Amino acid sequence: MLVRLSPAQRDLLLGPLHPEQHPVCGSHALRTALATAALRDQYYEVDMSAEMVEAASLLFRLACASGGPHRQESRTFDAAYILGPRDQTHRTRLLSALTDGAEIREVTALRRAVHRPRYDDDPQPWIIEGAAHDGQLRLPDDDVHPMWPVKAVLVISDSPDDDPVGLLPCRVPLHRLPPPALTPVEYRLAPLVLLDDRSYAAFRQRRMPRRRGLVVVCADPDDGTVYPRAAAIGADAVMAAGQDLGWLHLRVHDATECRYLPLDELLPDDTCEPPPCGS
């Protein structure tokens, strides 16, 4: 989605987004998008995923909590308005994110918060996890924010092979599931999805929605029928198992915020040109 930011908002976001420090899920990709955004009509148009919007929202809220010369710019960015129904409340968004696997954190100190209301419509339903206050330190919805942990790369395969996509060894956590065990939430929240083409038919039966970051991996590099299949599900690319590994390792580590290997170790001597897309 395209999100318009003023130059002051862009500068405010780029401040804490150093290459060596990625405080929240989505901030690595957000920094790249901000650095390459085009200025049009005195605004930057930034192509953001939902995770990037959440990362920007948290950084703006941190800026708002600490004050400073750009506090007003931080108040005009509303992730709930961008991502959800216009009439949803912040509490509804928090509880929905909690159900989908997000952590709820205190805005100022980023301590983990637990939803423990005392009664319906409790104005302070959140308590700090592990705090030595016996539940007396309570927070309203406005003082907490969803944070998404970096998840494992999803490998969809029912093949008996130990390494169906030819990626091992790999420092990035991989979560392998056969198509029948795949849930819509796991599919939507995975930072990157590698689909074993041998499991394509079973995957199609699940009728998963299109998403970014889907790569089809085929066992036979000469199988030309894989490209129309990949196009039918909106895949970003098609690759042969064990090939194009330089490009794939970059994608895997970029999708997981480069937390498992420094970026300079990912740049190989050979080419990292992407394989053909599925269209």
Side-chain angles (χ1 to χ4, degrees), residues 58 61 65 90 94 104-111 113 124 126 128 138-145:
L58 177 58
R61 295 194 69 191
H90 184 46
L94 288 169
I104 307 301
R105 298 271 181 167
E106 180 190 15
V107 171
T108 54
L110 298 184
R111 294 179 294 179
Q124 295 179 313
W126 304 93
I128 300 301
R138 290 190 161 269
L139 301 173
D141 296 327
D142 286 344
D143 287 352
V144 295
H145 193 279

Side-chain angles (χ1 to χ4, degrees), residues 151-232:
K151 295 183 176 294
V153 169
L154 179 61
V155 177
I156 303 175
S157 176
D158 51 15
S159 169
D161 293 351
D162 293 334
D163 187 16
V165 296
L167 189 57
L168 297 179
C170 181
R171 298 192 199 179
V172 172
L174 303 177
H175 181 43
R176 180 173 171 180
L177 284 175
L182 180 64
T183 68
V185 171
E186 287 173 313
Y187 181 69
R188 176 169 56 87
L189 297 181
L192 184 71
V193 178
L194 306 178
L195 172 62
D196 181 358
D197 186 54
R198 292 168 292 185
S199 303
Y200 179 87
F203 173 75
R204 282 300 302 269
Q205 291 179 355
R206 298 303 313 276
R207 300 182 181 275
M208 293 294 175
R210 295 198 175 201
R211 54 153 291 164
R212 294 178 178 177
L214 172 62
V215 177
V216 176
V217 183
C218 60
D220 182 4
D222 297 323
D223 182 7
T225 66
V226 66
Y227 296 101
R229 289 197 297 273

Side-chain angles (χ1 to χ4, degrees), residues 96-119:
S96 177
L98 187 63
T99 301
D100 282 347
E103 298 176 352
I104 307 301
R105 298 271 181 167
E106 180 190 15
V107 171
T108 54
L110 298 184
R111 294 179 294 179
R112 188 165 182 170
V114 179
H115 185 245
R116 198 168 295 166
R118 295 162 291 187
Y119 47 84

Side-chain angles (χ1 to χ4, degrees), residues 14-173:
L14 281 173
L17 291 178
H18 302 297
E20 298 81 13
Q21 179 182 6
H22 310 305
V24 292
C25 182
S27 59
H28 176 75
L30 176 62
R31 183 181 186 277
T32 301
L34 291 170
T36 57
L39 183 64
R40 298 177 181 173
D41 297 328
Q42 298 183 339
Y43 284 90
Y44 286 95
E45 292 186 348
V46 186
D47 188 11
M48 293 190 186
S49 65
E51 290 79 11
M52 292 159 65
V53 172
E54 291 286 13
S57 176
L58 177 58
L59 293 172
F60 275 131
R61 295 194 69 191
L62 289 172
C64 185
S66 60
H70 298 297
R71 183 174 182 178
Q72 185 59 40
E73 282 82 5
S74 68
R75 290 176 170 175
T76 62
F77 189 93
D78 186 356
Y81 182 83
I82 295 172
L83 296 177
R86 301 302 182 250
D87 58 349
Q88 80 171 354
T89 65
H90 184 46
R91 178 171 300 182
T92 300
R93 176 166 162 264
L94 288 169
L95 295 178
S96 177
L98 187 63
T99 301
D100 282 347
E103 298 176 352
I104 307 301
R105 298 271 181 167
E106 180 190 15
V107 171
T108 54
L110 298 184
R111 294 179 294 179
R112 188 165 182 170
V114 179
H115 185 245
R116 198 168 295 166
R118 295 162 291 187
Y119 47 84
D120 291 343
D121 297 325
D122 186 351
Q124 295 179 313
W126 304 93
I127 64 172
I128 300 301
E129 184 179 58
H133 300 282
D134 196 25
Q136 299 304 309
L137 179 60
R138 290 190 161 269
L139 301 173
D141 296 327
D142 286 344
D143 287 352
V144 295
H145 193 279
M147 286 185 64
W148 299 90
V150 176
K151 295 183 176 294
V153 169
L154 179 61
V155 177
I156 303 175
S157 176
D158 51 15
S159 169
D161 293 351
D162 293 334
D163 187 16
V165 296
L167 189 57
L168 297 179
C170 181
R171 298 192 199 179
V172 172

